[in-house]
Amino acid sequence: MPDTPVPALPALPAALLDALHALLGPRGVVTDQADLVPHLSDWRGLYRGASPALLRPSSTEELAGAMRLLHEAGVPVVPQGGNTSMVGGAMPDESGRQVILSLSRLNRIRDIDPVDMTMVAEAGVILKAAQDAAAGAGCLFPLSLGAEGTATIGGVLATNAGGNTTVRYGNARDLMLGLEFVLPDGSVVNGLRRLRKDNTGYALRHLMVGAEGTLGIVTAAVLRLFPRPRAEAIALCALESEEAALSLFRRFRDRDESAVRAFEYMGGNGMDLVLRHIEGATLPIAERADHYVLVDLASSRPDADLRGLMEAVLEEALEAGEVTDAALAESEAQRQAIWRLREEHPEAQKREGASVKSDVSVPVSKVPELIRRCGEALQALIPGSRPVPFGHMGDGNIHMNLEQPEGMDPAAFLARSHDIMDCVNAVVRDLEGSFSAEHGVGRLKPHMLADWRGGAELEAMRRIKAALDPKGLLNPGKVLPT
Amino acid sequence: MPDTPVPALPALPAALLDALHALLGPRGVVTDQADLVPHLSDWRGLYRGASPALLRPSSTEELAGAMRLLHEAGVPVVPQGGNTSMVGGAMPDESGRQVILSLSRLNRIRDIDPVDMTMVAEAGVILKAAQDAAAGAGCLFPLSLGAEGTATIGGVLATNAGGNTTVRYGNARDLMLGLEFVLPDGSVVNGLRRLRKDNTGYALRHLMVGAEGTLGIVTAAVLRLFPRPRAEAIALCALESEEAALSLFRRFRDRDESAVRAFEYMGGNGMDLVLRHIEGATLPIAERADHYVLVDLASSRPDADLRGLMEAVLEEALEAGEVTDAALAESEAQRQAIWRLREEHPEAQKREGASVKSDVSVPVSKVPELIRRCGEALQALIPGSRPVPFGHMGDGNIHMNLEQPEGMDPAAFLARSHDIMDCVNAVVRDLEGSFSAEHGVGRLKPHMLADWRGGAELEAMRRIKAALDPKGLLNPGKVLPT
């Protein structure tokens, strides 16, 4: 049961509801508001929406049929995958007019081909299930991110998700060969081609990826698979400075860029919080540092000698005074323990108190300047606050988070959220970066899109939106500023 | 001087010409028909067009200004880079109304950054010049194709060019991080962002790549660079069958997919022609075979031991009876000699007589079936004709060319061109492939686009074209069927 009274909603026309019931069956149309509750708020707690109905088609044909009915009736639609958006991208607004379209029953893996190295997965397949299915066929689907147990293939493609392995395998976009999607009027584009080269007209699939469900609904995709890694080496390093972290990345990249599976930076503040709040977390090196990186090397070649590569590069960096200490994982348990220090950053921040997140990127060369300047600016903005920068150094994508000062009222701190984001963004903009590296725009950042990508770029986006969704029914209020 | 009489052309309005002269200066506007001749036919000799003027802006601002003037006057524009299109993509039509927009003076490399591993290159930079500039900075720009001495960065991006190293580094699309382009009305989208992650709105740059200049004019790009290879190993192998070639590819890919820089198939007919017609070409193995592959391994890791990898995999394949003989290059000269056997295929075909080219792709698993079935169908279609399949096996992209029967009248053979293409395409379609893997659509294949990508997919493309180029002025008659 919802914990707040459900407002009276404008009901869907009875004829439309009947037609949807006839098309989707009893499991396919949910109108009981109690059942809708989990779909009406986002996990970050940023938004709370309202909706007259949740639709759960079980096939592309059913979904297309439902879209046709909604299109004719002029009813707006909000697609929802795992509902793990960081920017409210899957939330209906408060009007109660927007129907939620769940992809959860389109959850079949239609095909895995270890010769073509492809998987055809429907939009509702959970990312973790796709990873597991690939592993079951002796292959790797490399996309990996915190929400992988809940996020769906449709969602990660619609938002062009990134994650930890982007430095080696690219974003979700780069892992897609073909796409099936449904346009707002219910017409189906079947682009499930398993081709590595196909220059036949406009790259509609690339337009859909990252459009966050505002141009079409992704229903299935051909995903790229890779040979599974057969050699690995992982280390946690303590470093002298932000610049030393970049220098270490360059050393590994220059030596063998194809071996660098992840290269994650963590500032001293964040590591302190993890060690304080996360049970069992311990630092595998002797002393606390102000800067750490997790280096994760992998290769499909069994005799790649990644341990030798790791030791050789770390030795150079130790001699150069960049790395002050390092620990190599000697077992799977140690490997997991090192990764846990990185993965528990969000949880540790939460337990310490209020924090404000960011998801920015800059050219890789400017990551040290980003971390340093943002840290200084944020501490000047809110004295006593603790910058917690961490993330994907190899991609230039640092989560430039800020933890509240000890003892400050969390609400008072969160009231400064916009100031904090503006403070980070000012530095990012000066460094020619992006206000959204991997989380997208959603409901949270359309005003930033207008500000940063205005003029001809935004005008072209608006024209494309009007061309493909002339009635403006698909995920309204997301991405483009209204 | 042109070798055929120049037809009387409808002149551009005098006021427009004056304004273009004022904007672009004397070097920027070419109206002398003798000077236009090289720009009015394509190098394959498929098309011969007419044009009242060639414009040569020297900056993005000049180009944008010229586009504004042409847009206001309603004059159609055909962008032209190196004019190396295989499908007439840079040719004006015969009306004499279409102005040619040359990118040749936008030829600066604005920036190379070996930390970010990026190069900012203008559209008119020759591909080879971009490769050389990257090498000069100690890096690699991996895009490599036959026309690299003439083709331009703008052209390879507008057509999403492929080439020999796609199996490792992807198509042109995958080598682009940011794009600057000019819309038909002269507005400039400055998307020259050097970011590895940037999820801020619709992927306009991906829409421009592969649109062949029908949606906007690419003026500059941020390109991805890679560490230069420090270890290499190259071999020519003779194989038992098409299936054995695929099996060998799988062996290398599974062992170390990041080491496979190129994997090129060549049928026996094509190799015979190269050995017959190309001076100095010799087979580095003992006996003629019906199937060959060139395996090119590379790594940035100096101690990658690719020779060991090559020998280990070839030994397995020899034992399995897939490979019947193999020669490893022992020197740079031998390396070049092996590559030359592959690169001279088009020239050898030309010297032998008339041939009909194709550029198709299928899922990698279906390459053997493609080669076998097309070969049989083509020989049934034209008895005595010689199938010359060769190309990028690792991408599923085979040039399924056909050489005329010995002694047949070349003109009579070429009169069957459409039958031959239809014959190949029927097999490709049955194997769920593409009628254009890397050459694009241009003027040659819009009817195929209508046939293969019709319905909702083509309709969405048409809507995007109408949205971004409502007057239909940009490269008319290319890509989309009229």
Side-chain angles (χ1 to χ4, degrees), chain B residues 138-457:
Chain B
C139 304
L140 170 74
F141 181 62
L143 192 72
S144 173
L145 38 85
E148 64 194 25
T150 314
T152 60
I153 291 300
V156 298
L157 286 171
T159 60
N160 189 30
N164 297 332
T165 59
T166 309
V167 67
R168 170 66 180 90
Y169 296 102
N171 288 295
R173 173 188 308 289
D174 305 297
L175 302 172
M176 165 214 50
L177 292 175
L179 206 66
E180 179 190 83
F181 55 93
V182 178
L183 292 169
D185 64 1
S187 56
V188 179
V189 175
N190 178 356
L192 290 179
R193 299 193 277 273
R194 289 180 296 153
L195 302 173
R196 307 272 161 171
K197 286 184 175 175
D198 177 33
N199 282 345
T200 52
Y202 304 156
L204 300 179
R205 65 187 187 283
H206 282 287
L207 192 57
M208 292 295 145
V209 171
E212 306 184 22
T214 64
L215 298 177
I217 311 282
V218 172
T219 51
V222 180
L223 304 173
R224 290 178 68 188
L225 304 181
F226 292 81
R228 66 185 172 82
R230 293 191 196 84
E232 294 182 328
I234 287 159
L236 183 77
C237 311
L239 294 114
E240 193 53 39
S241 64
E242 299 90 343
E243 285 75 14
L246 177 61
S247 176
L248 186 64
F249 172 66
R250 292 183 64 188
R251 289 180 190 277
F252 279 106
R253 185 185 61 185
D254 290 353
R255 195 72 71 96
D256 189 355
E257 43 92 28
S258 70
V260 182
R261 181 167 57 183
F263 194 96
E264 299 283 305
Y265 172 88
M266 292 161 277
N269 286 337
M271 189 67 87
D272 291 348
L273 297 183
V274 169
L275 298 173
R276 184 180 310 161
H277 293 292
I278 304 301
E279 201 179 344
T282 53
L283 203 57
I285 51 183
E287 283 186 45
R288 181 202 181 278
D290 284 336
H291 311 277
Y292 303 89
V293 297
L294 183 164
V295 185
D296 185 341
L297 306 180
S299 169
S300 58
R301 195 172 163 186
D303 59 345
D305 187 23
L306 297 180
R307 182 162 186 117
L309 178 65
M310 182 76 88
E311 286 173 349
V313 173
L314 289 180
E315 199 165 314
E316 282 175 22
L318 276 160
E319 276 172 25
E322 294 163 2
V323 169
T324 54
D325 198 358
L328 270 73
E330 304 284 351
S331 65
E332 175 61 20
Q334 288 183 1
R335 196 191 75 81
Q336 289 184 12
I338 289 178
W339 260 110
R340 195 161 168 241
L341 295 174
R342 163 64 182 84
E343 294 292 3
E344 293 285 6
H345 266 63
E347 181 62 24
Q349 274 195 269
K350 202 166 147 186
R351 292 191 191 170
E352 175 73 7
S355 66
V356 173
K357 296 176 194 293
S358 81
D359 169 46
V360 298
S361 64
V362 293
V364 174
S365 63
K366 295 184 175 169
V367 168
E369 195 178 346
L370 172 79
I371 296 171
R372 196 185 298 272
R373 282 177 58 184
C374 281
E376 290 167 3
L378 289 169
Q379 287 178 302
L381 181 73
I382 303 185
S385 68
R386 290 160 290 172
V388 183
F390 67 92
H392 322 299
M393 183 154 209
D395 312 315
N397 172 204
I398 297 293
H399 299 292
M400 199 59 238
N401 295 1
L402 188 67
E403 189 76 26
Q404 67 165 77
E406 292 190 64
M408 185 174 178
D409 172 41
F413 177 74
L414 291 175
R416 306 292 305 274
S417 293
H418 282 280
D419 295 341
I420 292 167
M421 280 194 278
D422 288 348
C423 177
V424 170
N425 281 340
V427 176
V428 170
R429 196 156 186 172
D430 192 48
L431 297 176
E432 300 182 298
S434 170
F435 63 89
S436 182
E438 57 181 11
H439 294 168
V441 179
R443 268 178 81 171
L444 188 62
K445 299 182 177 177
H447 65 288
M448 295 185 198
L449 189 81
D451 187 22
W452 293 53
R453 307 282 180 252
E457 189 166 358

Side-chain angles (χ1 to χ4, degrees), chain A residues 113-117 159-160 162-163 166 168 171 173 183 185 187-190 193-204 206-207 210-211 214-215 226-227 230 246 250 253-258 300-302 304-306 309 361-366 392 395 397 432-438 440-441 449 453 456-457 460-461 463-465 467-468 470 479-480, chain B residues 113-117 159-160 162-163 166 168 171 173 183 185 187-190 193-204 206-207 210-211 214-215 226-227 230 246 250 253-258 300-302 304-306 309 361-366 392 395 397 432-438 440-441 449 453 456-457 460-461 463-465 467-468 470 479-480:
Chain A
D113 191 320
V115 182
D116 286 329
M117 285 290 202
T159 60
N160 190 27
T166 309
R168 170 66 180 89
N171 288 296
R173 173 188 307 289
L183 292 169
D185 65 1
S187 57
V188 179
V189 175
N190 179 354
R193 300 193 277 273
R194 290 180 294 153
L195 302 173
R196 308 272 162 171
K197 287 184 175 176
D198 177 32
N199 283 344
T200 53
Y202 304 156
L204 299 179
H206 282 286
L207 191 58
T214 63
L215 298 177
F226 292 80
R230 293 191 196 85
L246 178 61
R250 293 182 65 189
R253 185 185 62 185
D254 289 352
R255 194 72 71 98
D256 189 357
E257 43 91 29
S258 70
S300 59
R301 195 173 162 185
D305 186 24
L306 296 180
L309 179 65
S361 64
V362 293
V364 174
S365 62
K366 295 183 176 170
H392 323 299
D395 311 315
N397 172 204
E432 300 181 297
S434 171
F435 64 89
S436 183
E438 56 181 13
V441 180
L449 190 80
R453 306 280 180 254
E457 190 165 357
M461 292 186 204
R463 286 191 188 194
I464 289 166
K465 171 71 173 176
L468 295 183
V479 183
L480 297 179
Chain B
D113 190 320
V115 182
D116 287 328
M117 285 289 203
T159 60
N160 189 30
T166 309
R168 170 66 180 90
N171 288 295
R173 173 188 308 289
L183 292 169
D185 64 1
S187 56
V188 179
V189 175
N190 178 356
R193 299 193 277 273
R194 289 180 296 153
L195 302 173
R196 307 272 161 171
K197 286 184 175 175
D198 177 33
N199 282 345
T200 52
Y202 304 156
L204 300 179
H206 282 287
L207 192 57
T214 64
L215 298 177
F226 292 81
R230 293 191 196 84
L246 177 61
R250 292 183 64 188
R253 185 185 61 185
D254 290 353
R255 195 72 71 96
D256 189 355
E257 43 92 28
S258 70
S300 58
R301 195 172 163 186
D305 187 23
L306 297 180
L309 178 65
S361 64
V362 293
V364 174
S365 63
K366 295 184 175 169
H392 322 299
D395 312 315
N397 172 204
E432 300 182 298
S434 170
F435 63 89
S436 182
E438 57 181 11
V441 179
L449 189 81
R453 307 282 180 252
E457 189 166 358
M461 292 186 203
R463 286 191 189 195
I464 289 166
K465 171 71 174 176
L468 295 183
V479 183
L480 298 179

Side-chain angles (χ1 to χ4, degrees), chain A residues 44 86-87 342 346 349 355-362 370-371 374-375 378 387-392 396-403 417-428 434-440 444-445 448:
Chain A
R44 286 190 65 185
M86 301 290 286
V87 290
R342 163 64 183 83
Q349 274 195 270
S355 66
V356 173
K357 297 176 193 294
S358 80
D359 170 44
V360 298
S361 64
V362 293
L370 171 79
I371 296 171
C374 281
L378 289 168
V388 183
F390 67 93
H392 323 299
N397 172 204
I398 297 293
H399 300 292
M400 198 60 236
N401 295 0
L402 188 68
E403 190 75 26
S417 294
H418 280 282
D419 296 341
I420 292 167
M421 280 194 278
D422 288 348
C423 177
V424 170
N425 281 340
V427 176
V428 171
S434 171
F435 64 89
S436 183
E438 56 181 13
H439 294 169
L444 188 63
K445 300 183 178 177
M448 295 185 197

